[in-house]
Amino acid sequence: MKKRYLMILQLIVMLVVGCSHPDRSVVLSSEKLGGISLDDRFADTDTDIEKRQSIDGVVMYRCNNGLKVGVDNRNEIQWVELSAGAGKELSTAKGIKINATKSSLTQSYGAPTGKRHEQGAEIYVYADKQNAIKLEFWSVDQHIHMIRLMRE
């Protein structure tokens, strides 16, 4: 009886841990945000630059189309951010735009690999462990108000 109880308990623990396992991963190697991927070199983009500032060795460019791009000293894109006020045509590779609903997000990308709360937002995280890429969707009132594509 005790052995059976332990087996059932182990099965329950495995199911619970499996549903929220931090090592779960998605494939983001071809992901783009606003048409820009992390494999692009910044000089190769056709984006007009509005202004720039340096944060922790990465230069942040604010582009006229509403994107923010972080570029390292080798001109490699480290992160791309899309937030409210950006061009309405800008989206992820799967068509998620600013103001999209949480349900449209999960229809396109599936269940997130992680979730956290920060600055009053619920953040849905999709992590590609193999390629060290992370895609974050910041949500307020069940609507996406910021999207970040970044290297981990």
Side-chain angles (χ1 to χ4, degrees):
M1 180 73 169
K2 189 175 183 181
K3 195 173 190 179
R4 177 181 257 175
Y5 174 74
L6 286 174
M7 285 177 52
I8 291 171
L9 185 60
Q10 285 177 330
L11 181 60
I12 291 170
V13 169
M14 285 174 32
L15 287 172
V16 170
V17 171
C19 292
S20 61
H21 200 277
D23 291 332
R24 189 169 156 255
S25 185
V26 296
V27 178
L28 297 171
S29 56
S30 60
E31 185 63 52
K32 292 182 179 222
L33 186 54
I36 297 175
S37 79
L38 296 177
D39 292 330
D40 293 341
R41 300 208 26 102
F42 190 66
D44 296 340
T45 63
D46 296 326
T47 309
D48 294 324
I49 299 168
E50 192 173 286
K51 62 181 181 177
R52 65 181 182 177
Q53 65 188 109
S54 180
I55 302 170
D56 295 330
V58 175
V59 177
M60 181 187 75
Y61 292 90
R62 294 180 187 264
C63 305
N64 290 337
N65 62 3
L67 284 174
K68 294 177 187 171
V69 181
V71 181
D72 68 11
N73 60 1
R74 296 171 303 204
N75 237 17
E76 293 178 355
I77 295 175
Q78 296 300 303
W79 54 264
V80 183
E81 180 181 297
L82 177 61
S83 56
K88 292 183 180 191
E89 73 284 353
L90 300 175
S91 69
T92 66
K94 293 187 178 184
I96 300 297
K97 298 179 180 185
I98 295 301
N99 216 24
T101 63
K102 179 188 173 195
S103 64
S104 65
L105 171 63
T106 55
Q107 281 179 329
S108 295
Y109 284 92
T113 58
K115 189 167 80 168
R116 70 179 195 277
H117 295 301
E118 189 176 316
Q119 300 176 15
E122 190 167 27
I123 305 165
Y124 304 102
V125 180
Y126 294 83
D128 181 338
K129 302 287 185 186
Q130 183 175 351
N131 295 299
I133 298 171
K134 189 165 46 170
L135 182 61
E136 294 182 343
F137 295 89
W138 291 51
S139 173
V140 175
D141 298 327
Q142 300 294 310
H143 286 85
I144 306 301
H145 76 95
M146 183 169 64
I147 306 169
R148 279 191 191 149
L149 176 63
M150 68 192 86
R151 297 198 184 278
E152 287 195 282

